[in-house]
């Protein structure tokens, strides 16, 4: 059973056209969430959603959760994952695994709460199993 209090197709109550969970595909055929667009290998064509889904949830602080809806007709193809993007991502992850104090590269991300590897934080030396093996 859908909660019809969330049905606001003209947007007068919630600012955006709003549909109850599970009814948007029936009431507005050209709308999809980001996850649904991604499954179609698409991304939103605009930054602003054109409508929203709304449903009751115990997990939300106010008891209501929302999901943005975008027009499928305005969606664009997802950007390709190029070799340059892969190199940039690998470099960023390596920087997150490098201790700023001892400059060792670890197999795990350095905890931001410590700001350095646990060994440097405790004043010791890193264990061999923690270090990235040089190729």
């Amino acid at each position: 059973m859908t909660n019809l209090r969330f049905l606001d197709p003209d947007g007068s109550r919630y600012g955006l056209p709003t549909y109850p969970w599970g009814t948007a595909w029936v009431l507005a055929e050209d709308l999809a969430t980001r996850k649904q667009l991604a499954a179609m290998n698409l991304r939103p064509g605009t930054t602003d959603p054109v409508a929203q889904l709304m449903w009751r949830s115990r997990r939300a602080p106010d008891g209501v959760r929302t999901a943005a809806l975008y027009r499928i007709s305005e969606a664009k193809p997802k950007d390709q994952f190029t070799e340059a993007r892969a190199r940039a991502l690998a470099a960023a992850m390596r920087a997150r695994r490098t201790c700023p104090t001892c400059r060792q590269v670890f197999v795990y991300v350095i905890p931001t709460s410590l700001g350095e590897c646990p060994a440097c934080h405790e004043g010791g030396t890193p264990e061999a199993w923690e270090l990235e093996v040089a190729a």
Side-chain angles (χ1 to χ4, degrees):
M1 171 146 186
T2 62
N3 193 344
L4 294 180
R5 88 174 170 175
F6 297 134
L7 182 60
D8 180 25
D10 59 355
S12 61
R13 192 172 353 155
Y14 297 110
L16 275 175
T18 304
Y19 303 98
W21 179 264
T23 61
W25 64 275
V26 173
L27 301 172
E29 299 156 359
D30 191 37
L31 300 178
T33 63
R34 281 184 181 270
K35 195 167 188 174
Q36 291 168 333
L37 289 174
M40 295 181 248
N41 208 22
L42 298 171
R43 62 183 170 90
T46 62
T47 56
D48 299 324
V50 295
Q52 65 183 351
L53 289 175
M54 194 176 278
W55 67 98
R56 290 180 18 189
S57 172
R58 292 183 188 155
R59 295 188 329 183
D62 61 352
V64 176
R65 292 183 66 192
T66 62
L69 293 171
Y70 302 90
R71 293 213 182 279
I72 298 171
S73 59
E74 296 174 5
K76 297 179 180 175
K78 281 176 114 177
D79 293 335
Q80 296 298 316
F81 194 73
T82 63
E83 189 63 35
R85 188 175 282 183
R87 283 193 308 271
L89 180 59
M93 289 306 297
R94 185 175 177 91
R96 291 183 65 201
R97 294 184 289 115
T98 304
C99 175
T101 307
C102 65
R103 306 303 302 165
Q104 297 280 356
V105 180
F106 291 86
V107 293
Y108 55 84
V109 174
I110 303 297
T112 56
S113 60
L114 301 179
E116 56 189 355
C117 69
C120 288
H121 186 71
E122 295 170 2
T125 57
E127 300 291 329
W129 63 269
E130 296 179 309
L131 301 175
E132 182 179 65
V133 178

